[in-house]
């Protein structure tokens, strides 16, 4: 046990000592503060603003063997193992820590939704990611944009890496988790039980929430002009969640050693879902009486959005320090919001009163093969938020139950999912061609409404139109890669790992200027 571990264990004990009832009372009081500010128009911005959270995991580039820099080039099967990112390196590249030691997250600066603003989003991602890759390359590692990693660190199985933990004076600490106290505290709360992944043919249980570190995502943000309109945008975001996820699925496989011993490759290919990121997040972080990760219900008012956060079960009440930011006036509610893990969620915050904002965070999409692929989803979501409410698109009246069914159908079957939609002229349809065409046409119209030239709006969305037209997603590409290798005689583990290495190789060549379309045939 290191001094750092001792300090972490002490901080976990401090968290567990927080009075849960007092925490709830403070959150409820903060909710009233936010609602009062909403009534005064504090969270209004009078323009739409976009932002992006972009998560990565690190892999070894395989340029040297561990402990022997002079060993020469590695064999193909030694490259791209999961790699822990030194904390000093995260600080150097300006990325934020996430759950696992292998994770890194970039958050872009919010920009107005217009031609220059969207360009600025794309340019910032490219500039910061290129600088990060230059730095990590010197350390023999690479950041990967992907939905779920499958090759564990050298010398470890995925099960060992995810389940490894130690106990210090009654506090359970995950060995490979960053010092995110709230996550460690979850494993030590009075109600904590084992944390299991529930997905077809997968067998993984751990003493901590570390299995959640299997997954990475992109999260487009859309700040609304008028906070009172949050329910409109929230509910429309629920309607587009299924179709957008269907085009973005990118997590069809787990690390091979996590599958049940008697599961055959055919079982896994037949029954496996196209987007297991959803399965991991929901099964690991939900518990009886506290479903934190869900497809949320519709909102009737902006006040209800605030009340939902205040009433959300707190798995681990967290201490809150006083500060001088504007949103420190409701700091407990902000802290509580940090574990309000809905697939679409409203957020109210701001460092100053003038910067206060109300936004929708769109959380279903996994990280994508290339930067243009990822930016396409930011552009599509922003365009839809601009277009559908303004045009009073009839899909807003789609039954919530249907929207939820669309979402989980996309989880299971990706672009081949059975989806339901209402087109511009009010006709219900299950024709995927019509659904994706209507969806992307309105996304393009929304971008044009925001001031983008037609050609530029088309360019941003082209990666998604290609997927819709060809019926190919990152998950479909991965499944075909594994299928081909199995047919050539490879065993399942080798097929998955070879697919993953091909993914990283292709991404290395196309990350900044290519799209998934450039991979087809590889």
């Amino acid at each position: 046990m290191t001094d750092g571990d001792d300090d972490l264990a002490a901080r976990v004990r401090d968290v567990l000592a927080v009075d849960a009832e007092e925490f709830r009372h403070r959150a409820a009081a903060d909710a009233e503060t936010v609602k009062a500010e909403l009534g005064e128009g504090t969270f209004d911005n009078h323009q739409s603003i976009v932002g992006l959270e972009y998560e990565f995991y690190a892999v070894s580039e395989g340029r040297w063997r561990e402990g022997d820099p002079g060993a020469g080039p590695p064999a193909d099967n030694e490259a791209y193992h999961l790699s822990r990112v030194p904390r000093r390196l995260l600080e150097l590249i300006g990325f934020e820590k996430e759950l696992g030691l292998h994770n890194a997250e970039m958050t872009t600066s919010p920009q107005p939704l217009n031609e220059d603003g969207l360009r600025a989003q794309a340019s910032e991602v490219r500039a910061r990611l290129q600088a990060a890759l230059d730095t990590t390359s010197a350390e023999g590692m690479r950041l990967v944009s992907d939905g779920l990693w499958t090759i564990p660190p050298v010398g470890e199985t995925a099960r060992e890496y995810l389940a490894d933990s130690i106990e210090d004076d009654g506090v359970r600490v995950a060995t490979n988790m960053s010092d995110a106290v709230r996550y460690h505290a979850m494993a030590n709360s009075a109600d904590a039980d084992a944390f299991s992944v529930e997905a077809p043919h997968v067998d993984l249980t751990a003493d901590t929430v570390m299995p959640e570190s299997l997954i990475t995502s992109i999260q487009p943000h859309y700040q609304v002009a008028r906070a009172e309109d949050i329910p409109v945008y929230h509910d429309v975001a629920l309607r587009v969640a299924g179709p957008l996820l269907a085009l973005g699925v990118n997590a069809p496989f787990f690390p091979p050693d996590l599958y049940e011993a008697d599961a055959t490759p055919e079982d896994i290919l037949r029954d496996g879902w196209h987007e297991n990121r959803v399965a991991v997040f929901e099964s690991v972080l939900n518990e009886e009486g506290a479903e934190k990760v869900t497809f949320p219900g519709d909102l009737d008012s902006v006040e209800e959005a605030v009340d939902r956060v205040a009433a959300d079960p707190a798995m681990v009440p967290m201490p809150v320090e006083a500060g001088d930011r504007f949103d420190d006036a409701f700091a407990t509610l902000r802290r509580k919001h940090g574990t309000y893990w809905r697939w679409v969620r409203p957020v109210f915050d701001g460092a100053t009163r003038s910067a206060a904002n109300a936004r929708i965070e769109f959380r279903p999409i996994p990280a994508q093969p290339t930067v243009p692929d990822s930016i396409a989803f930011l552009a599509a979501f922003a365009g839809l938020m601009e277009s559908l409410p303004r045009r009073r698109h009839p899909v807003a009246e789609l039954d919530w139950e249907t929207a939820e069914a669309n979402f989980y159908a996309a989880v299971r079957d990706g672009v081949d999912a059975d989806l339901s939609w209402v087109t511009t002229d009010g006709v219900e349809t299950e024709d995927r061609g019509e659904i994706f065409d209507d969806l992307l046409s309105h996304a393009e119209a929304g971008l044009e409404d925001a001031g983008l030239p037609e050609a530029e709006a088309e360019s941003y969305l082209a990666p998604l139109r290609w997927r819709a037209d060809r019926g190919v997603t990152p998950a479909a590409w991965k499944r075909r890669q594994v299928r081909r290798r199995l047919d050539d005689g490879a065993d399942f583990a080798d097929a998955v790992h070879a697919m993953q290495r091909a993914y990283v190789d292709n991404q290395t060549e196309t990350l900044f200027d290519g799209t998934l379309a450039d991979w087809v045939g590889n």
Side-chain angles (χ1 to χ4, degrees):
M1 175 73 69
T2 67
D3 290 342
D5 292 332
D6 286 333
D7 178 63
L8 176 59
R11 285 185 288 146
V12 170
R13 282 190 284 270
D14 288 344
V15 167
L16 297 176
V18 172
D19 184 278
E21 189 63 26
E22 175 63 19
F23 186 80
R24 283 192 289 270
H25 283 311
R26 289 184 179 179
D30 284 358
E32 296 307 312
T33 298
V34 171
K35 287 187 285 187
E37 295 287 356
L38 285 166
E40 295 180 10
T42 304
F43 293 95
D44 294 346
N45 281 289
H46 308 294
Q47 63 178 337
S48 304
I49 297 174
V50 292
L52 181 69
E53 294 179 41
Y54 199 153
E55 298 171 354
F56 302 84
Y57 62 77
V59 299
S60 59
E61 286 200 306
R63 293 184 306 159
W64 51 73
R65 292 181 176 86
E66 186 173 354
D68 186 7
D76 287 343
N77 62 2
E78 293 178 357
Y80 305 145
H81 287 270
L82 197 71
S83 181
R84 298 166 177 86
V85 183
R87 303 297 90 176
R88 60 167 180 79
L89 190 60
L90 274 183
E91 295 174 3
L92 188 62
I93 64 177
F95 280 39
E96 302 162 23
K97 63 187 177 184
E98 252 294 333
L99 180 62
L101 292 179
H102 55 276
N103 291 128
E105 181 182 71
M106 174 201 307
T107 302
T108 64
S109 307
Q111 298 288 343
L113 178 56
N114 55 35
E115 181 179 1
D116 290 327
L118 203 51
R119 286 180 182 175
Q121 287 286 311
S123 295
E124 182 178 356
V125 169
R126 287 184 169 90
R128 293 180 60 189
L129 182 54
Q130 183 62 70
L133 291 174
D134 290 344
T135 303
T136 57
S137 179
E139 301 284 338
M141 65 180 65
R142 180 175 185 84
L143 297 179
V144 176
S145 176
D146 193 6
L148 194 157
W149 58 265
T150 59
I151 306 178
V154 174
E156 300 175 74
T157 65
R159 190 179 307 277
E160 290 168 343
Y161 180 80
L162 294 167
D164 192 23
S165 65
I166 56 176
E167 187 172 324
D168 174 38
D169 193 21
V171 174
R172 175 66 56 183
V173 175
T175 307
N176 296 303
M177 192 187 297
S178 67
D179 60 349
V181 177
R182 70 179 180 185
Y183 290 112
H184 288 283
M186 287 177 190
N188 293 277
S189 67
D191 298 328
D193 200 352
F195 299 88
S196 299
V197 171
E198 297 176 9
H201 302 297
V202 172
D203 175 21
L204 174 62
T205 298
D207 292 328
T208 73
V209 299
M210 187 63 187
E212 197 266 330
S213 73
L214 279 162
I215 58 178
T216 43
S217 69
I218 56 171
Q219 296 176 24
H221 296 178
Y222 180 86
Q223 290 185 23
V224 304
R226 297 194 311 163
E228 68 179 19
D229 293 332
I230 276 285
V232 173
Y233 292 98
H234 174 274
D235 294 356
V236 168
L238 294 179
R239 271 68 187 171
V240 304
L244 283 178
L245 179 59
L247 294 173
V249 288
N250 192 21
F253 296 109
F254 287 85
D257 71 274
L258 299 184
Y259 286 100
E260 297 166 340
D262 60 352
T264 68
E266 295 304 322
D267 292 335
I268 295 167
L269 283 168
R270 182 189 64 245
D271 302 331
W273 297 343
H274 284 232
E275 191 45 58
N276 285 299
R277 175 178 165 267
V278 170
V280 170
F281 205 14
E282 290 192 346
S283 59
V284 172
L285 290 177
N286 284 340
E287 60 182 41
E288 187 174 354
E291 290 198 348
K292 310 288 290 181
V293 189
T294 61
F295 190 83
D298 287 337
L299 286 170
D300 290 328
S301 68
V302 66
E303 291 79 14
E304 182 185 4
V306 179
D307 288 337
R308 282 188 185 180
V309 179
D312 194 49
M315 296 174 70
V316 179
M318 295 285 292
V320 178
E321 297 181 1
D324 56 6
R325 288 170 53 111
F326 162 74
D327 48 20
D328 284 329
F330 47 94
T332 300
L333 188 73
R334 283 178 59 221
R335 176 73 79 177
K336 206 164 188 287
H337 183 273
T339 58
Y340 184 74
W341 293 305
R342 303 310 193 265
W343 292 115
V344 174
R345 71 179 184 185
V347 181
F348 307 90
D349 64 15
T352 65
R353 181 175 293 273
S354 62
N357 67 88
R359 66 179 182 268
I360 297 294
E361 293 185 354
F362 190 68
R363 301 166 56 82
I365 307 298
Q368 295 294 302
T370 73
V371 169
D373 287 324
S374 293
I375 295 298
F377 280 99
L378 171 61
F381 180 66
L384 289 166
M385 293 298 96
E386 284 289 299
S387 177
L388 298 185
R390 179 177 300 182
R391 289 171 171 78
R392 301 184 183 277
H393 193 290
V395 78
E397 304 304 318
L398 186 72
D399 289 344
W400 177 88
E401 290 80 7
T402 302
E404 182 193 38
N406 283 344
F407 181 75
Y408 290 104
V411 168
R412 293 188 300 271
D413 298 318
V415 75
D416 296 323
D418 292 330
L419 305 173
S420 297
W421 186 256
V422 181
T423 60
T424 304
D425 55 7
V427 175
E428 294 186 12
T429 181
E430 296 180 356
D431 183 280
R432 285 188 290 270
E434 292 183 5
I435 292 171
F436 293 132
D437 182 64
D438 195 64
L439 181 87
L440 296 176
S441 294
H442 277 86
E444 183 179 326
L447 294 178
E448 292 177 21
D449 291 343
L452 275 71
E454 180 180 353
E456 189 165 1
E458 289 178 352
S459 178
Y460 278 118
L461 300 175
L464 304 188
R465 283 203 177 275
W466 179 88
R467 295 183 187 190
D469 292 342
R470 295 288 295 271
V472 178
T473 61
W477 181 89
K478 289 178 175 179
R479 288 172 61 88
R480 292 176 187 179
Q481 290 280 316
V482 170
R483 174 80 272 172
R484 189 182 74 193
R485 287 170 169 81
L486 290 172
D487 290 344
D488 287 343
D491 68 24
F492 182 70
D494 287 343
V496 171
H497 289 169
M499 172 277 295
Q500 193 68 64
R501 292 187 173 97
Y503 182 99
V504 179
D505 281 337
N506 284 354
Q507 186 171 101
T508 302
E509 298 297 324
T510 62
L511 178 59
F512 293 103
D513 298 311
T515 69
L516 178 65
D518 298 309
W519 296 20
V520 172
N522 293 344

